[in-house]
Amino acid sequence: FALHEAYDFIASLGIDVPKHELIADTDALEKRLAAIGREYSSRVVLKIASPDIHHKAEIGGVAIVENKPETLRAKFAEMLASAKKARPEARIDGVLLMEMVEIEQELILSLIDDATFGHVLSIGKGGTLTEIFKDIALHPAPVAGGDIEKMLRSLKTWPLLEGYRGAKGADIGAITAFAEKIAALARKNGDSPLGDFEIAEFEINPLVTTKDGRVLPIDSILRFREAKKIAPESAHPNLTNLDKLFKPQTIAVVGASDTPQKMGGAILGLL
């Protein structure tokens, strides 16, 4: 899904999203220029709108520009041309124009269907520094609000969220409420809450807190698939005898990722 389509889905969950609009072509831009000048602040964000282009900045597909007709016209044309040249095979829906927000904290939040563990929620330090910090907490579904706060508190960067050295802390309650709504999309007792479809991958990076107290998804990857048919008895593990798990004579690690953001990597790190 393109970002504007992901925003539509997120908004349908009752979650706030940035003010935005999809502009398909130069004719559509001309018709909206006067209204954009009135309805948005002095600076706006432009992003190429395509479900096939995830790393938009690398092809000139993201820009912060002054909200002036001549600037918008020039950057709009430049962005479309750059994207079509870099990714001629990609579906390009136009350019997404978004409000400019003042960011305080950046997180990453995802719900991914792991082949072994099923739906797993992860949350951690987000933005462009995600791969550097590698500060991620994971929890297999189901996930409750208390679990999410524990995940946040387990992060190395928790002091930044709490408010480090007198700095304003993030609204942990609002972040938790946001994450709960995403976690609620996971399968329950083998059934998808979305009916015939289910989440294959849903990543929001960054999920930001703003200076005016909002929690907003800025960028997102969203993939659905046809819901799996899982027998109710297989949706719950057999917990009658855990001796082999907690009192093993030997341990073999086969095919586990060393990436801490993945469930297998998280377990490997605890051995």
Side-chain angles (χ1 to χ4, degrees), residues 248-265:
Q249 294 181 339
T250 58
I251 295 176
V253 179
V254 180
S257 169
D258 61 357
T259 303
Q261 294 95 324
K262 296 183 178 180
M263 199 66 184

Side-chain angles (χ1 to χ4, degrees), residues 165-259:
R165 290 192 173 182
K168 180 184 175 183
D171 187 340
I172 303 303
I175 295 172
T176 299
F178 189 112
E180 277 188 282
K181 290 184 178 180
I182 303 304
L185 299 172
R187 280 188 301 274
K188 296 180 179 67
N189 299 321
D191 295 323
S192 169
L194 301 176
D196 293 334
F197 296 91
E198 65 184 7
I199 298 293
E201 179 183 15
F202 191 6
E203 178 183 293
I204 298 171
N205 186 24
L207 172 67
V208 306
T209 62
T210 68
K211 289 188 177 180
D212 59 358
R214 301 159 75 192
V215 177
L216 295 173
I218 298 300
D219 216 337
S220 177
I221 297 172
L222 175 61
R223 291 192 301 111
F224 293 107
R225 66 163 170 239
E226 188 175 346
K228 296 177 181 177
K229 302 299 181 183
I230 300 177
E233 60 271 15
S234 66
H236 299 284
N238 184 352
L239 303 179
T240 55
N241 187 348
L242 297 179
D243 285 347
K244 290 183 179 180
L245 177 62
F246 290 108
K247 300 176 182 178
Q249 294 181 339
T250 58
I251 295 176
V253 179
V254 180
S257 169
D258 61 357
T259 303

Side-chain angles (χ1 to χ4, degrees), residues 42-177:
S42 60
R43 301 174 80 200
V44 294
V45 179
L46 299 179
K47 291 186 178 183
I48 197 70
S50 171
D52 303 318
I53 303 174
H54 298 309
H55 300 290
K56 302 175 182 66
E58 295 177 3
I59 62 163
V62 180
I64 299 172
V65 299
E66 291 185 344
N67 187 0
K68 296 180 178 179
E70 61 275 16
T71 306
L72 291 172
R73 287 190 189 101
K75 182 54 70 173
F76 184 91
E78 177 188 325
M79 187 172 289
L80 280 179
S82 176
K84 290 176 181 178
K85 180 179 179 180
R87 295 289 304 276
E89 81 290 353
R91 187 193 102 194
I92 297 176
D93 297 336
V95 172
L96 190 66
L97 184 143
M98 301 168 52
E99 66 170 307
M100 182 76 180
V101 298
E102 294 186 86
I103 296 172
E104 288 195 330
Q105 302 277 358
E106 291 184 312
L107 296 165
I108 181 172
L109 174 68
S110 70
L111 181 69
I112 295 176
D113 191 15
D114 183 89
T116 302
F117 300 98
H119 277 124
V120 176
L121 186 79
S122 64
I123 193 167
K125 179 63 177 176
T128 57
L129 301 179
T130 299
E131 294 299 323
I132 294 177
F133 278 95
K134 295 182 179 179
D135 188 19
I136 304 288
L138 304 100
H139 196 296
V143 185
D147 298 322
I148 294 167
E149 184 166 343
K150 289 178 182 177
M151 292 167 70
L152 290 169
R153 289 180 177 274
S154 74
L155 299 174
K156 291 180 290 186
T157 48
W158 164 253
L160 299 178
L161 292 172
E162 191 177 30
Y164 184 65
R165 290 192 173 182
K168 180 184 175 183
D171 187 340
I172 303 303
I175 295 172
T176 299

